[in-house]
Amino acid sequence: RKEVEQDPGPFNVPEGATVAFNCTYSNSASQSFFWYRQDCRKEPKLLMSVYSSGNEDGRFTAQLNRASQYISLLIRDSKLSDSATYLCVVNGGGADGLTFGKGTHLIIQP
Amino acid sequence: EAGVAQSPRYKIIEKRQSVAFWCNPISGHATLYWYQQILGQGPKLLIQFQNNGVVDDSQLPKDRFSAERLKGVDSTLKIQPAKLEDSAVYLCASSLEVTISQETQYFGPGTRLLVL
């Protein structure tokens, strides 16, 4: 099964700052990409899908770079409530189906 | 809309014992997933069902783990016998379909298993 790599962090960021993190994937045939958010001792929840053209949802922007095989997540004007673990998910299709990264731990400090 | 239901929420067993987890997906969701999440790691897919058929079980340790979804609705994951390294959260998720446009997964609260 192909790999999905994330920097585990933690990223300690002051409230109001902009933070970005990447996720690299090894399967060049990967078909779809997602960012999930997981709060401590809770289940993962979909934050956003990542489209080839890039997409934005409020303060969150996701980008896909197929040539370099990574996706990114940018959070602007960070809030205390953004503190969580952000999981990168890649669907490689076929035998390399859904693979989660280990997650990036984000801590927003007041 | 009711979410994904899982039970039990917590389970403590001794090694070599057996344990079973139950999951009821969101109504109408054809695809069901079981994940194992060890502390500090991302969820690892164990098995994926499309209705009552297995789509992917390549990472399921079949010597001790088994899962079924006989009627294409709820599902059971069993570990027999359990090992210490099976201590983890077992997450169940469902999605409408396995096609790309409808593959958003909705997770249940998970079952926390501790093997002593």
Side-chain angles (χ1 to χ4, degrees), chain B residues 92-112:
Chain B
C92 179
S94 70
S95 63
L96 270 173
E97 288 289 347
V98 75
T99 58
I100 291 173
S101 62
Q102 295 183 306
E103 65 185 330
T104 299
Q105 296 180 60
Y106 299 86
F107 283 82
T111 296
R112 295 184 180 277

Side-chain angles (χ1 to χ4, degrees), chain A residues 31-109:
Chain A
Q31 301 172 3
S32 52
F33 309 86
F34 309 87
W35 284 103
Y36 276 72
R37 170 191 169 129
Q38 186 170 28
D39 292 296
C40 187
R41 301 181 71 82
K42 298 287 189 180
E43 70 273 20
K45 293 184 179 179
L46 179 68
L47 179 65
M48 56 199 306
S49 301
V50 186
Y51 303 123
S52 296
S53 55
N55 47 303
E56 187 174 311
D57 182 2
R59 298 181 293 108
F60 298 84
T61 300
Q63 297 272 350
L64 167 63
N65 186 318
R66 283 194 181 273
S68 300
Q69 294 183 204
Y70 72 87
I71 65 172
S72 63
L73 179 67
L74 178 80
I75 306 174
R76 290 181 298 277
D77 187 23
S78 53
K79 313 290 184 190
L80 295 177
S81 57
D82 294 334
S83 297
T85 296
Y86 291 84
L87 297 162
C88 169
V89 185
V90 176
N91 186 349
D96 293 313
L98 290 157
T99 304
F100 279 72
K102 293 186 177 182
T104 295
H105 189 198
L106 176 64
I107 300 171
I108 305 299
Q109 297 174 326

